[in-house]
Amino acid sequence: MKKLFLSLTLILGFLVYIFLAAPAPQAPAVSDNKRQPSDLPPENQPPEQNSSANSNSSRNSVVQKPLQKYKDGAYIGDVADAYYGNVQVKAVIQGGQIISVQFLQYPSDRRTSIQINSEAMPILKTEAIQAQSAKVDIVSGATQTSGAFQESLGSALAQAKN
Amino acid sequence: MKESQVLMGMPIVAEILDPEAVPEALKKVFSYFRHVDEKFSVYKSGSEITRINQGKIAGPELSEEMKEVFALAQNTKEQTDGYFDIRTPGGFYDPSGLVKGWAIRNAARILRKDGFKNFYVDAGGDIQFFGKNQENKKWSAGIKNPFDSQEIVKIVYLSTEGIATSGTYIRGQHIYNPRNPDRPISEIVSLTVIGPDVYEADRFATAAFAMGRRGINFLESFPGLEGYLIDRQGIATMTSGFEQYTNINHA
């Protein structure tokens, strides 16, 4: 259970990081939210004499409302397949901020004794396979059919005969 | 001293380097494999496993060795979340995915008990090593190229470890994903496992192969096992502790 709790905490922390770690462009959005009320002219101020009736609205449209990176609403993520089970979350955004994350699917208690590293799993190294020319004592490969082997062994033994 | 025989439907090779090696020592090994074949072969009409599958014997009537293998199979099934299962999609029991490594390990124990220190036992490409090779160095094992059986694509150096390779490139689809038995495992073609002994390597090679590509992640998370997976494009993925075995001087 401890390991499950740790895994869930990591997943939650990761999600929180994604939604809250604000890249540079988003910063103005936060401050603009604060600035916006002061950009608008006070409601009770009389319109300027030499401006048209639409001047206030055109002035308002010049002040661009900053785009929220995330639209408000409830979102259900794809089912993610950790090899020991599925993970699926539902995130609710309000005011551009994550206000709740709910697990719809998470790995059920495992009866196995598989141990998971408490740190994130490392990215595994890959390579294109390459023929090796060095000699080896023995070869490991998928099992050969006995028919093919007998044929091959037969001819090898025939050569080995004194 | 070296001997080869075809038993259990596969080539079995045993080689002892100790100077005290005598033919009787190897005879013991092969007679043991014959005994295992008689008991566990699903292709033999009189074998114990065939009689179990025919419903002729069950439960307490099983031999001690059969009970042991069934218990080990159940243990392996739990440890691999069901990906290892000796019960086939057809409903019959086929313990060969476990018996092979188990038998090789037992054969190696026979040699150890007889006092031999430098040898290997190889059944169908699954190998248990002990001691050192002819040059007094770690044994060198090549991993066969799944696309060209004349080539090897990786060399590892082992001492007392076991190595096993699962693959579908020779016998075709004989490993099933128990969660989806009708869907062939096609995206990977070979998975080699190095474990503390060949029994561990073999059972997990079978289970991990049934998981497809994720098998390598399973091996990564399991302490004591290292793996080298080859996919159908010829791209290999290795666990983080695998590469140390490619160095002859590793600890």
Side-chain angles (χ1 to χ4, degrees):
Chain A
M1 279 310 291
K2 235 192 267 185
K3 286 162 189 162
L4 182 61
F5 176 73
L6 190 56
S7 310
L8 295 182
T9 308
L10 283 171
I11 291 169
L12 187 63
F14 184 60
L15 287 165
V16 168
Y17 170 78
I18 286 180
F19 285 110
L20 294 185
Q26 208 178 359
V30 175
S31 48
D32 275 350
N33 279 337
K34 292 188 183 144
R35 264 193 351 244
Q36 227 174 0
S38 59
D39 282 341
L40 295 170
E43 290 284 311
N44 51 7
Q45 217 174 46
E48 288 167 332
Q49 263 190 325
N50 55 356
S51 59
S52 65
N54 288 331
S55 65
N56 278 348
S57 51
S58 59
R59 262 197 73 202
N60 286 348
S61 67
V62 167
V63 177
Q64 289 188 354
K65 187 167 179 189
L67 286 171
Q68 272 175 202
K69 187 165 182 180
Y70 300 105
K71 291 191 288 221
D72 289 356
Y75 303 93
I76 296 177
D78 291 343
V79 177
D81 185 8
Y83 71 84
Y84 50 83
N86 289 334
V87 170
Q88 188 182 37
V89 298
K90 176 177 164 183
V92 177
I93 315 281
Q94 219 174 76
Q97 308 261 344
I98 188 171
I99 59 160
S100 80
V101 173
Q102 190 191 337
F103 281 92
L104 301 180
Q105 286 190 59
Y106 58 90
S108 54
D109 262 285
R110 289 169 295 126
R111 303 161 309 280
T112 70
S113 62
I114 296 171
Q115 293 177 46
I116 305 277
N117 235 329
S118 57
E119 285 126 48
M121 230 179 263
I123 307 284
L124 300 181
K125 183 173 174 182
T126 60
E127 64 186 10
I129 56 171
Q130 276 187 321
Q132 308 290 315
S133 54
K135 287 234 169 280
V136 291
D137 294 319
I138 193 154
V139 176
S140 179
T143 316
Q144 231 179 335
T145 60
S146 65
F149 174 75
Q150 273 182 315
E151 203 186 340
S152 170
L153 178 62
S155 72
L157 291 179
Q159 290 170 62
K161 273 200 165 85
N162 279 331
Chain B
M1 179 156 303
K2 187 172 174 180
E3 190 176 335
S4 318
Q5 284 186 33
V6 175
L7 287 168
M8 297 165 58
M10 67 186 93
I12 302 184
V13 184
E15 183 170 3
I16 310 172
L17 298 183
D18 304 52
E20 318 85 65
V22 287
E24 284 66 43
L26 288 174
K27 290 226 179 323
K28 252 182 166 177
V29 164
F30 287 99
S31 119
Y32 173 72
F33 277 114
R34 244 188 323 274
H35 158 82
V36 168
D37 201 15
E38 296 298 329
K39 183 174 285 222
F40 290 99
S41 173
V42 294
Y43 302 109
K44 287 183 147 62
S45 53
S47 70
E48 189 181 349
I49 191 69
T50 296
R51 285 182 285 129
I52 291 169
N53 283 327
Q54 288 168 343
K56 289 180 176 163
I57 52 169
E61 299 164 304
L62 267 46
S63 67
E64 287 312 306
E65 281 181 304
M66 188 61 72
K67 284 181 190 166
E68 181 189 343
V69 163
F70 268 74
L72 291 173
Q74 179 59 25
N75 178 41
T76 307
K77 182 177 175 181
E78 286 165 13
Q79 285 179 296
T80 60
D81 214 14
Y83 275 95
F84 180 92
D85 195 343
I86 61 170
R87 193 150 198 167
T88 64
F92 294 100
Y93 290 105
D94 181 2
S96 56
L98 187 135
V99 165
K100 185 162 69 157
W102 174 80
I104 301 168
R105 184 175 73 171
N106 289 340
R109 282 177 177 169
I110 291 171
L111 293 177
R112 288 284 296 132
K113 200 151 158 260
D114 283 353
F116 298 110
K117 294 184 173 56
N118 304 285
F119 60 84
Y120 66 80
V121 180
D122 164 18
D126 293 354
I127 310 154
Q128 178 65 59
F129 294 99
F130 219 90
K132 299 248 161 68
N133 71 0
Q134 204 80 289
E135 281 102 51
N136 199 34
K137 295 199 162 92
K138 287 201 207 284
W139 293 100
S140 56
I143 296 176
K144 195 184 286 188
N145 183 347
F147 308 101
D148 185 345
S149 61
Q150 303 304 310
E151 284 183 357
I152 56 172
V153 292
K154 204 74 177 171
I155 300 173
V156 291
Y157 301 96
L158 305 175
S159 178
T160 58
E161 293 91 347
I163 187 169
T165 298
S166 266
T168 48
Y169 52 96
I170 296 290
R171 282 190 286 162
Q173 291 296 325
H174 65 278
I175 302 174
Y176 304 94
N177 176 348
R179 279 119 197 261
N180 199 343
D182 292 326
R183 188 177 150 272
I185 298 157
S186 57
E187 71 269 25
I188 64 170
V189 292
S190 170
L191 178 56
T192 298
V193 177
I194 298 173
D197 64 44
V198 70
Y199 163 72
E200 301 292 341
D202 189 28
R203 68 194 181 115
F204 286 115
T206 308
F209 193 94
M211 298 176 191
R213 221 174 250 293
R214 295 174 317 154
I216 198 73
N217 300 98
F218 168 77
L219 295 171
E220 174 72 12
S221 74
F222 215 101
L225 301 174
E226 302 300 337
Y228 192 80
L229 176 145
I230 303 175
D231 72 15
R232 58 196 292 205
Q233 262 95 39
I235 304 296
T237 308
M238 62 193 92
T239 53
S240 56
F242 176 85
E243 221 158 20
Q244 64 175 321
Y245 289 108
T246 61
N247 175 4
I248 195 169
N249 296 315
H250 78 81

